[in-house]
Amino acid sequence: MIYDVIIIGGGVTGCSIARTLSKYNIKVCLLEKEGEVASGTTKANSGVVHAGYASPREYIKRYLCIKGNKLYTQAAQELNFPFKRTGSFVVALEDNQIKILEKERKKGTEDGIPELDLLFDKKQIKKMEPNLTDDVVGVLHAPTAGLVSPYELTFALAENAAINGVKFFRNHEVVRIKHEDYIFTVRTYKGEFQGRNLINAAGLYAAKISKMLGLDYFSIMPRKGEYILFDRNALQLNKVLFPIATKVSKGILVCPTLHGNTFVGPNAQNITDPEDISTTTAGLKEILEGGRKLIPNLPARSSIRSFAGLRAVPDTYDFIIDNTDVYGFINVAGILSPGLTATFAIAEKVVEFLELLGLELKIKEDYNPNRPKPERFKDFTKEELDKKIREDPAWGRIICRCETIPEKEIINAIHAPVGANTVDGVKFRCRPGMGRCQGGFCRPRVIEILSRELNKSYEEITKKGEDTNILVGKTKDFILKSERRGVSEE
Ligand SMILES: Cc1cc2nc3c(=O)[nH]c(=O)nc-3n(C[C@H](O)[C@H](O)[C@H](O)COP(=O)(O)OP(=O)(O)OC[C@H]3O[C@@H](n4cnc5c(N)ncnc54)[C@H](O)[C@@H]3O)c2cc1C
């Protein structure tokens, strides 16, 4: 089969493009190297839907961010992912910073960002955010900024794309691409795919993919950002809190999450290894100190996890969304922040390029833009829950006690379109392992459920895809084998 469009990369960018294209009467597939979609940068970032004032005017990312922010309202209604317009504050701590905020507000308002406001009344500011430092002298308030769960958004996009006909191939790392007679032949370790158009949304590896077609006009540098996540209810915040931005990033922010936690981060460290997501003592110290400038009572002892994400920083510092010299090949590269915010606008831009390339895009008669909200134990009333448990006792078997996740939610996550097939896939879809014990108790049960539902042995179940197997065999089998070979247990 020859696809009309092949997408490389199943982050939020690739999945958003896939979902947008699934509206049309064309054949589309997506190739992702990891065992799950949302395994790259999309998995670890701040999850802020920015208002859009932060990027300089000479960059397209500014305008795609402003547009993308607006597109979230309809997308969240259709796709039912966790999203809330909490609003954000950029916090000035010194009088001379006020003029920076005034400039941002003026330019932002001129560029179509609604409701940007400067607040100077400390009493009013502290009423809106009681834990904010007393040193605040003013804030830029952006009520349209918000929070999204980036991976739940991406799973929703993939699910909806899949029910509308897009084929997803996970564990398919693209290793070679040929372009002959206007057909791309894309090789992965598991097979070959042919398509008339090819979209490169490979994140940190986008320059490598582009080079496979001889296009070497940009480079991508990984820039690490570390975070600390605090236990649920350790601190109550209402807004996304930014300091005044630095030259390289929006600075260390303090932020609530949609699941009731708080986090602080990220810092910004240029590195060379696109797989290095380690955290360091120095980095964690840096972000705690940074966060305390905004929230002095950050509850360091309630930290439940540290993690890091990698920005794919292009040498242009702007999104690279290009119809390239290779006919039918579109680079969607260097999608650094605010790529999550801009994602729906980026997908629309790609559709414009495909139309320019002559792809006929007719809306399918049976296109369904909606993805039902996954059923959650926590959302049911007691009566609804009783009924659910009577119908299926798996609703009453709690697997993750920290997050109150029953077996049925895990089963549903596994059998959803483009469903979970790894432990992390389950964790990021319905949260077992996200709580205080970080999977200490529920992980073996999750492995058991994955094994049963996917009809695989325990040893075949992986943390996050190939070569991340968790169990290697049964302890007793090893002992028996050793005894048969005459080896003592010591
Ligand atoms: C620290 C940090 C904070 C951020 N905060 C925000 C924020 O608050 N708001 C915001 O709007 N944006 C934010 N961003 C930016 C946002 O996270 C990114 O713009 C977005 O996640 C990029 O998604 P992507 O799909 O382009 O890349 P990725 O998510 O990295 O997806 C690329 C995919 O391609 C796959 N791939 C790579 N090579 C191959 C291959 N050879 N074959 C097949 N598949 C391949 C990868 O496995 C990966 O899944 C932040 C980023 C970071 C790192």
Side-chain angles (χ1 to χ4, degrees):
M1 121 126 77
I2 299 183
Y3 288 97
D4 294 297
V5 182
I6 298 177
I7 301 164
I8 303 174
V12 70
T13 306
C15 290
S16 185
I17 294 167
R19 191 258 176 167
T20 302
L21 291 178
S22 74
K23 195 191 301 185
Y24 302 105
N25 224 340
I26 52 173
K27 292 192 280 296
V28 181
C29 77
L30 183 147
L31 309 175
E32 166 54 50
K33 77 178 167 73
E34 302 295 335
E36 303 278 356
V37 296
S39 288
T41 301
T42 298
K43 188 159 86 174
N45 56 63
S46 308
V48 176
V49 175
H50 294 286
Y53 49 77
S55 302
R57 274 184 162 164
E58 58 271 28
Y59 291 156
I60 56 160
K61 61 185 178 179
R62 177 182 180 92
Y63 305 99
L64 292 176
C65 177
I66 295 171
K67 183 175 176 193
N69 175 303
K70 293 175 184 160
L71 293 173
Y72 260 79
T73 305
Q74 187 184 344
Q77 278 162 10
E78 290 176 348
L79 296 170
N80 278 300
F81 54 82
F83 166 64
K84 192 173 169 198
R85 292 195 193 274
T86 54
S88 66
F89 280 174
V90 184
V91 181
L93 300 176
E94 290 164 26
D95 289 330
N96 63 6
Q97 293 175 331
I98 295 293
K99 59 179 179 299
I100 302 174
L101 300 187
E102 276 168 351
K103 243 199 243 165
E104 300 283 33
R105 177 185 175 224
K106 181 171 177 294
K107 285 197 290 177
T109 306
E110 283 168 6
D111 289 344
I113 303 172
E115 301 172 59
L116 281 178
D117 203 6
L118 284 172
L119 308 177
F120 300 109
D121 178 350
K122 204 184 267 197
K123 230 166 129 190
Q124 182 196 4
I125 297 170
K126 293 275 289 184
K127 199 169 163 207
M128 293 166 86
E129 195 60 276
N131 286 293
L132 191 62
T133 173
D134 288 337
D135 294 338
V136 56
V137 294
V139 298
L140 174 63
H141 181 210
T144 57
L147 289 167
V148 63
S149 165
Y151 34 88
E152 288 173 88
L153 159 64
T154 306
F155 298 138
L157 288 164
E159 271 185 39
N160 189 244
I163 63 152
N164 284 301
V166 175
K167 303 279 177 249
F168 282 78
F169 298 90
R170 292 171 288 179
N171 289 310
H172 274 270
E173 178 175 357
V174 172
V175 288
R176 225 174 71 195
I177 309 170
K178 228 171 52 188
H179 187 229
E180 252 172 30
D181 300 330
Y182 296 101
I183 299 287
F184 293 94
T185 304
V186 181
R187 174 164 301 173
T188 76
Y189 287 120
K190 299 216 168 127
E192 237 176 40
F193 299 80
Q194 290 198 311
R196 291 190 178 83
N197 297 282
L198 182 64
I199 294 169
N200 172 14
L204 290 154
Y205 294 90
K208 190 173 162 192
I209 295 290
S210 187
K211 276 186 203 153
M212 289 182 193
L213 282 161
L215 296 170
D216 192 6
Y217 66 99
F218 64 91
S219 63
I220 299 280
M221 174 179 61
R223 181 178 286 161
K224 191 194 284 190
E226 294 164 276
Y227 291 93
I228 299 174
L229 181 71
F230 300 106
D231 199 5
R232 205 141 13 101
N233 305 324
L235 176 73
Q236 186 62 47
L237 288 184
N238 303 316
K239 305 270 175 202
V240 180
L241 302 172
F242 296 99
I244 301 285
T246 68
K247 273 211 168 92
V248 291
S249 83
K250 295 179 193 73
I252 292 164
L253 54 128
V254 189
C255 194
T257 74
L258 292 173
H259 295 287
N261 306 76
T262 304
F263 70 80
V264 60
N267 51 2
Q269 194 195 348
N270 295 339
I271 58 169
T272 49
D273 178 0
E275 298 292 329
D276 175 9
I277 48 168
S278 60
T279 54
T280 60
T281 310
L284 300 181
K285 195 163 167 261
E286 179 192 352
I287 56 176
L288 262 184
E289 280 169 7
R292 282 195 173 126
K293 289 184 190 151
L294 300 181
I295 301 289
N297 61 338
L298 266 188
R301 282 173 178 274
S302 298
S303 134
I304 57 170
R305 189 171 186 97
S306 63
F307 62 94
L310 300 180
R311 306 165 181 91
V313 182
D315 41 12
T316 57
Y317 295 102
D318 198 5
F319 297 163
I320 297 166
I321 308 174
D322 275 350
N323 244 342
T324 68
D325 291 346
V326 176
Y327 193 85
F329 179 60
I330 301 175
N331 271 323
V332 190
I335 307 299
L336 67 174
S337 187
L340 185 61
T341 311
T343 197
F344 300 107
I346 292 172
E348 286 190 359
K349 188 117 207 98
V350 171
V351 170
E352 283 168 26
F353 281 139
L354 286 168
E355 276 179 320
L356 283 176
L357 286 166
L359 185 65
E360 202 188 326
L361 294 171
K362 272 199 354 222
I363 296 184
K364 283 175 194 159
E365 272 177 20
D366 58 351
Y367 171 63
N368 177 3
N370 299 313
R371 174 253 193 183
K373 187 170 182 228
E375 289 188 308
R376 300 286 182 227
F377 181 98
K378 282 182 180 170
D379 295 340
F380 292 135
T381 61
K382 178 158 183 330
E383 292 69 36
E384 286 167 340
L385 200 53
D386 285 347
K387 187 165 173 272
K388 283 279 177 197
I389 294 172
R390 270 198 304 277
E391 282 165 12
D392 188 340
W395 275 112
R397 283 195 287 273
I398 301 300
I399 303 298
C400 171
R401 292 184 184 192
C402 302
E403 295 291 305
T404 325
I405 311 297
E407 183 175 3
K408 187 65 183 173
E409 281 187 39
I410 298 173
I411 295 171
N412 288 348
I414 295 169
H415 294 297
V418 203
N421 57 38
T422 65
V423 171
D424 275 4
V426 169
K427 171 177 167 182
F428 283 90
R429 277 175 183 80
C430 61
R431 298 184 61 77
M434 287 276 195
R436 193 169 181 91
C437 92
Q438 289 287 297
F441 287 94
C442 63
R443 182 183 278 195
R445 299 293 314 279
V446 171
I447 294 174
E448 223 176 350
I449 297 166
L450 276 162
S451 156
R452 185 190 70 215
E453 296 298 318
L454 298 176
N455 202 15
K456 287 181 172 178
S457 67
Y458 293 157
E459 292 86 343
E460 285 173 293
I461 301 301
T462 64
K463 181 175 184 310
K464 52 182 187 169
E466 284 173 355
D467 299 328
T468 58
N469 305 60
I470 298 163
L471 303 172
V472 291
K474 287 187 182 156
T475 318
K476 281 190 180 164
D477 286 347
F478 283 113
I479 294 170
L480 284 174
K481 271 185 210 157
S482 304
E483 280 175 354
R484 260 185 242 126
R485 289 203 310 268
V487 181
S488 84
E489 278 175 47
E490 284 84 19

